[in-house]
């Protein structure tokens, strides 16, 4: 498995993956935030590739010197194989390299079920930013 920064050629397979994994309302919100993040800082969008196929993605952002995990998605056939954890770890490295003061998990109604994944990586309730705002409102 290869983890790397999003490239423009990834757009179609990433949107296909997101539409496969996310609910319709989550997909719409995520696509808006995804477009904004690509415009602001595409280095914080990481994809997981296996056999030249995009199998996972994580979207992060930095606001006020704080790093945020915004959305993570892994193809159904690839779930529970460590890809999500690897994506989180890779994005964490980018946050650390940029010397953010704190790393938070942006929690909304669409990803609350993923909190045990973050907890298994050492994140605590104090690291969860429960916000029902869109990424475009969280970041500036």
């Amino acid at each position: 498995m290869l983890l790397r920064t999003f490239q423009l050629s990834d757009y179609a397979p990433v949107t296909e993956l997101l539409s496969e994994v996310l609910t319709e309302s989550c997909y719409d919100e995520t696509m808006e935030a995804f477009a904004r993040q690509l415009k602001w800082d595409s280095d914080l969008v990481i994809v997981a590739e296996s056999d030249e196929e995009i199998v996972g993605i994580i979207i992060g952002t930095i606001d006020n010197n704080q790093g945020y995990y915004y959305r993570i998605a892994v193809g159904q056939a690839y779930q529970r194989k460590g890809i999500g954890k690897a994506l989180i770890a890779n994005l964490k490295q980018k946050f650390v390299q940029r010397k953010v003061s704190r790393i938070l998990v942006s929690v909304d109604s669409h990803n609350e079920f993923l909190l045990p994944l973050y907890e298994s990586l050492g994140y605590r309730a104090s690291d969860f930013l429960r916000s029902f705002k869109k990424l475009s409102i969280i970041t500036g």
Side-chain angles (χ1 to χ4, degrees):
M1 179 183 60
L2 171 68
L3 299 179
R4 60 174 174 75
T5 302
F6 175 88
Q7 301 169 357
L8 189 55
S9 60
D10 298 328
Y11 187 80
V14 163
T15 56
E16 185 179 319
L17 170 69
L18 292 173
S19 69
E20 169 197 326
V21 175
L22 305 178
T23 65
E24 187 176 332
S25 62
C26 181
Y27 175 84
D28 292 341
E29 285 180 26
T30 301
M31 289 306 295
E32 287 178 33
F34 177 49
R36 284 187 190 92
Q37 187 58 37
L38 288 178
K39 187 168 73 171
W40 292 331
D41 187 350
S42 62
D43 195 44
L44 297 177
V45 179
I46 309 297
V47 296
E49 187 179 305
S50 178
D51 297 323
E52 298 184 15
E53 177 185 357
I54 302 296
V55 298
I57 183 172
I58 190 165
I59 302 168
T61 195
I62 295 175
D63 184 37
N64 292 323
N65 199 38
Q66 294 186 59
Y68 294 89
Y69 299 108
Y70 172 67
R71 187 75 72 222
I72 187 169
V74 174
Q76 292 175 349
Y78 296 90
Q79 293 177 4
R80 301 206 176 272
K81 297 181 189 246
I83 295 171
K85 288 180 179 181
L87 286 164
I88 292 167
N90 189 281
L91 185 55
K92 181 180 180 177
Q93 279 185 310
K94 291 188 181 281
F95 289 149
V96 170
Q97 289 170 350
R98 294 194 186 189
K99 298 178 176 30
V100 298
S101 61
R102 188 169 179 205
I103 300 173
L104 298 165
V105 179
S106 181
V107 181
D108 61 21
S109 59
H110 302 298
N111 68 350
E112 200 154 5
F113 71 95
L114 290 172
L115 295 185
L117 170 64
Y118 288 100
E119 289 170 338
S120 74
L121 295 170
Y123 293 92
R124 302 177 316 269
S126 60
D127 300 317
F128 301 144
L129 176 66
R130 293 186 184 275
S131 175
F132 295 92
K133 298 176 183 176
K134 295 179 184 174
L135 179 65
S136 61
I137 297 171
I138 293 174
T139 62

